[in-house]
């Protein structure tokens, strides 16, 4: 096993809101000097996934126990020792980008995604625009994306690849994505195991 783990904060069980839970995680990172991040913003004030060093995770669980002695404010995710969607994986972005380059057809019709795809990296509808590329830069800090600002339509495939590659090492902004969907979509269909409609259940809890 690695030195990392993942779990879920349930702020409402600890008398916290989402912002306070995020502050708690950031405070522990500063106090311990160890990496720990909120990596999935799933359900407003109710569910936030956290990835980080084992010692920092243990400190977070201990702190939450002082607010919810029954342990209900924290759920360890068993079997996960990779800090998914965190800056700890930034070094893996180039390798993932190379895989995507090989997998996504050169002639993919990017225009079909415009207004229909809501990537969790930026939590807004896909566009081939300067503003959309700016949102990607803001989310990743990857300045080389600015090369696509002048003519994003020409670089549609590259923009798609960067979206997917950086999501690997960036937080999942599902709360914001759900807010957009709630305003714009009449019917939500989840493709996945019928016995465990994870996203649909999150959506019901959020709207």
């Amino acid at each position: 096993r690695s030195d990392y783990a993942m779990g879920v904060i349930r702020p409402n069980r600890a008398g916290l809101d989402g912002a306070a839970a995020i502050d708690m995680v950031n405070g522990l990172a500063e106090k311990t000097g160890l990496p720990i991040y909120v990596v999935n913003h799933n359900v407003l004030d109710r569910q936030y996934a956290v990835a980080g060093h084992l010692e920092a995770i243990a400190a977070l669980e201990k702190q939450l126990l002082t607010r919810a002695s029954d342990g209900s404010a924290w759920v360890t995710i068993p079997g996960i020792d990779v800090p998914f969607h965190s800056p700890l994986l930034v070094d893996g972005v180039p390798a993932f980008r190379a895989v995507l380059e090989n997998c996504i057809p050169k002639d993919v019709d990017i225009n079909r995604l415009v207004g229909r795809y809501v990537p969790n990296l930026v939590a807004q509808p896909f566009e081939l625009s300067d503003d959309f590329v700016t949102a990607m830069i803001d989310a990743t800090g990857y300045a080389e994306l600015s090369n696509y600002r002048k003519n994003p339509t020409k670089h549609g495939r590259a923009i798609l690849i960067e979206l997917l590659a950086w999501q690997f090492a960036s937080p999942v902004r599902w709360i914001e994505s759900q807010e957009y969907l709630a305003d714009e979509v009449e019917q939500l269909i989840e493709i996945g195991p019928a016995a465990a409609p994870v996203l649909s259940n999150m959506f019901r809890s959020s709207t």
Side-chain angles (χ1 to χ4, degrees):
R1 289 184 58 84
S2 76
D3 291 331
Y4 300 97
M6 291 187 70
V8 174
I9 295 180
R10 302 161 80 185
N12 59 311
R13 299 295 184 94
L16 302 170
D17 60 14
I22 293 169
D23 287 344
M24 179 182 288
V25 172
N26 293 339
L28 276 171
E30 183 175 349
K31 180 179 179 180
T32 65
L34 296 169
I36 185 169
Y37 307 94
V38 175
V39 295
N40 289 64
H41 301 250
N42 290 336
V43 181
L44 183 65
D45 297 332
R46 297 181 64 179
Q47 189 182 118
Y48 298 78
V50 176
H53 192 278
L54 288 168
E55 291 181 24
I57 291 286
L60 175 60
E61 184 174 6
K62 182 178 179 180
Q63 189 166 338
L64 287 167
L65 276 172
T66 66
R67 303 187 64 94
S69 58
D70 62 354
S72 62
W74 174 258
V75 178
T76 299
I77 302 176
I80 303 294
D81 65 348
V82 177
F84 291 114
H85 301 297
S86 80
L88 293 166
L89 297 186
V90 165
D91 289 345
V93 169
F96 191 31
R97 181 187 293 121
V99 171
L100 293 166
E101 284 279 3
N102 289 328
C103 292
I104 296 176
K106 300 290 185 183
D107 60 351
V108 62
D109 185 0
I110 296 297
N111 288 321
R112 294 183 64 185
L113 297 178
V114 174
R116 296 185 176 94
Y117 167 40
V118 183
N120 280 309
L121 180 72
V122 292
Q124 64 187 61
F126 181 80
E127 293 180 0
L128 295 174
S129 69
D130 176 89
D131 288 345
F132 189 83
V133 175
T134 298
M136 292 173 63
I137 296 170
D138 291 343
T140 64
Y142 188 52
E144 290 187 33
L145 290 170
S146 61
N147 296 328
Y148 304 141
R149 276 176 163 161
K150 290 184 179 179
N151 192 351
T153 302
K154 178 181 177 181
H155 300 291
R157 180 176 178 272
I159 289 171
L160 174 62
I161 287 172
E162 294 298 334
L163 277 171
L164 297 172
W166 280 98
Q167 183 66 89
F168 174 77
S170 305
V172 175
R173 295 163 62 177
W174 182 232
I175 292 172
E176 295 168 83
S177 296
Q178 289 178 109
E179 290 172 350
Y180 170 78
L181 293 172
D183 289 338
E184 301 293 333
V185 175
E186 293 183 2
Q187 183 179 24
L188 181 70
I189 300 173
E190 178 174 354
I191 300 173
V198 176
L199 299 182
S200 298
N201 286 339
M202 287 183 187
F203 194 82
R204 291 189 188 96
S205 297
S206 299
T207 57

